[in-house]
Amino acid sequence: MSEVSLKGVSKNFGEVRVIHGVDLEVEKGSFCVFVGPSGCGKSTLLRMIAGLETTTRGAISIGERDVTNVDAAKRGIAMVFQSYALYPHMTVRENMSFGLKMSGVPKAEVASKVDEAARILKLDPYLDRKPRALSGGQRQRVAIGRAIVRAPEVFLFDEPLSNLDAELRVQMRLELARLHRELGATMIYVTHDQVEAMTLADKIVVLRAGRIEQAGPPLALYEDPDNLFVAQFIGYPRMNIVEGTVIASEGGQARIAIPALGDLVLPVPHKEPLAQGRAVLAGMRPQQFGPEGDVAILIRIDAVENLGGVTFAYAEIEGSEAPFCIESRKPGQEVGGMLETRFASGSAMIFDPATGQRLRG
């Protein structure tokens, strides 16, 4: 059963259409993440679900109710924004309880709900503090607590961790994952950070230019992308893309010549025959290189990213917009040196250069 359903949803600002006929089902109790580059429409789509933006065309349902033209306050949602939006003159308890008091909820019930939210978010010691006495992470937890006390059908998060430093972002990601498990609520979360998306989501919705490129479980998008955009957007470092030419295609295999990698011929499983001489783009993830592959690759290292537990070696190659990246398991890689590694050809993906669509065999 879907908790949130979007059918043919579009949004225009004047003559400009920013959301193009989106169809989406968000299952009850799931953690759904909208991800994509700046300007792709993810926050606009979230605000349409919240009722903060009108819907030009299509229908939005929450539970069994059509809420397309329902006021935001009556949709059964609670929203957490990038800015904490706390009242500076109020204590944590007062900030969390303010909305309930304004709705006429009895005092005893307000106190009970605030105490329960504080327990869940580990805010008990801070209930009598004001926002200026809290860290950024604590303030964001108060903002989340203010949403929890309303017991909404759906939680909406609009880049809630963007104002936090790297360490706090990691900590708050874990907090949000724990919160979702404990509450079992439906959550829709917007971010431009694909690491956040992969960490938190049951379902990722990848958006570009107001359209859904692909939606599904995180590992499904990583391992089986529909197109070049999704393949490069999901996964860090991004997938290597190199130009290639089909030199043979038979017996369930296409042989792809890749001039930028020397005399490399990459045998890629592909049941459907491809025309000899056809131009393709070959995709290889940095993590798929190692000593066990069937194809040998030798590159000159132009840059090294040493992260302690893992090292990424980069090489500038002809015909590639970005440096070619290989996860190296050999210690002591140095700029200017040569790196010899191997790649499992069965892991390669091929794409149509004109459309960016995956060529599935």
Side-chain angles (χ1 to χ4, degrees):
M1 174 182 169
S2 294
E3 183 79 349
V4 179
S5 175
L6 281 65
K7 297 187 183 301
V9 168
S10 298
K11 174 65 180 177
N12 289 12
F13 288 108
E15 298 298 319
V16 179
R17 179 164 295 184
V18 295
I19 301 294
H20 302 262
V22 166
D23 294 306
L24 179 66
E25 304 291 331
V26 178
E27 291 72 22
K28 186 178 178 64
S30 66
F31 199 126
C32 178
V33 177
F34 295 171
V35 68
S38 296
C40 70
K42 53 189 184 293
S43 288
T44 300
L45 196 59
L46 190 78
R47 289 173 64 84
M48 291 168 69
I49 295 170
L52 301 178
E53 296 284 356
T54 58
T55 301
T56 305
R57 292 185 183 84
I60 299 174
S61 300
I62 296 178
E64 299 297 320
R65 295 188 302 141
D66 184 336
V67 298
T68 310
N69 298 308
V70 174
D71 290 340
K74 299 178 181 179
R75 292 196 178 197
I77 59 93
M79 192 159 181
V80 179
F81 297 91
Q82 180 177 342
S83 60
Y84 315 128
L86 302 179
Y87 296 108
H89 63 287
M90 293 184 181
T91 64
V92 168
R93 182 184 294 277
E94 290 168 339
N95 266 283
M96 291 171 64
S97 63
F98 182 75
L100 296 180
K101 289 180 179 178
M102 294 299 291
S103 300
V105 177
K107 287 184 179 180
E109 185 178 343
V110 171
S112 174
K113 288 186 174 184
V114 169
D115 288 342
E116 176 63 11
R119 180 195 66 78
I120 292 171
L121 294 166
K122 299 183 174 64
L123 287 171
D124 310 74
Y126 312 109
L127 284 172
D128 295 320
R129 293 189 187 182
K130 292 184 177 178
R132 64 176 177 271
L134 304 176
S135 69
Q138 290 164 347
R139 292 178 194 178
Q140 192 57 279
R141 277 191 278 164
V142 175
I144 294 170
R146 188 171 52 195
I148 289 175
V149 297
R150 295 180 57 190
E153 294 180 58
V154 181
F155 287 85
L156 305 178
F157 297 89
D158 192 4
E159 303 204 48
L161 309 186
S162 296
N163 290 335
L164 305 182
D165 61 35
E167 184 176 352
L168 268 178
R169 286 174 72 98
V170 173
Q171 181 182 336
M172 283 302 299
R173 283 204 299 265
L174 298 177
E175 289 283 341
L176 284 170
R178 180 187 62 80
L179 179 66
H180 179 249
R181 289 195 302 270
E182 186 159 343
L183 295 179
T186 304
M187 296 183 175
I188 303 177
Y189 185 101
V190 162
T191 182
H192 63 273
D193 184 340
Q194 55 95 10
V195 175
E196 276 185 19
M198 295 290 287
T199 303
L200 291 170
D202 301 322
K203 180 177 190 174
I204 292 178
V205 178
V206 181
L207 290 153
R208 178 170 62 162
R211 294 180 172 86
I212 294 178
E213 291 288 325
Q214 190 174 353
L219 284 180
L221 268 61
Y222 178 83
E223 295 173 351
D224 192 24
D226 284 342
N227 56 51
L228 191 59
F229 180 80
V230 175
Q232 290 197 286
F233 197 87
I234 299 295
Y236 177 85
R238 65 190 297 180
M239 178 183 283
N240 298 302
I241 301 296
V242 289
E243 296 175 349
T245 303
V246 178
I247 58 174
S249 181
E250 57 185 3
Q253 185 183 84
R255 294 175 62 79
I256 313 295
I258 303 178
L261 294 176
D263 297 325
L264 179 66
V265 175
L266 191 64
V268 180
H270 203 275
K271 295 178 183 178
E272 296 295 325
L274 295 173
Q276 187 173 347
R278 176 175 179 170
V280 297
L281 296 174
M284 296 176 275
R285 292 203 182 276
Q287 295 84 357
Q288 293 169 334
F289 292 88
E292 307 300 328
D294 57 314
V295 176
I297 292 177
L298 181 68
I299 65 166
R300 179 184 179 278
I301 301 172
D302 292 309
V304 173
E305 186 179 23
N306 193 339
L307 304 181
V310 64
T311 297
F312 294 107
Y314 295 86
E316 300 288 345
I317 65 171
E318 186 179 348
S320 177
E321 295 180 1
F324 194 87
C325 179
I326 291 175
E327 180 178 323
S328 173
R329 301 172 192 175
K330 297 179 180 179
Q333 299 295 337
E334 296 183 356
V335 173
M338 301 301 294
L339 172 61
E340 185 175 358
T341 186
R342 303 188 74 84
F343 179 79
S345 58
S347 301
M349 301 179 191
I350 51 176
F351 303 88
D352 187 308
T355 66
Q357 290 301 303
R358 175 100 170 268
L359 297 175
R360 299 179 182 275

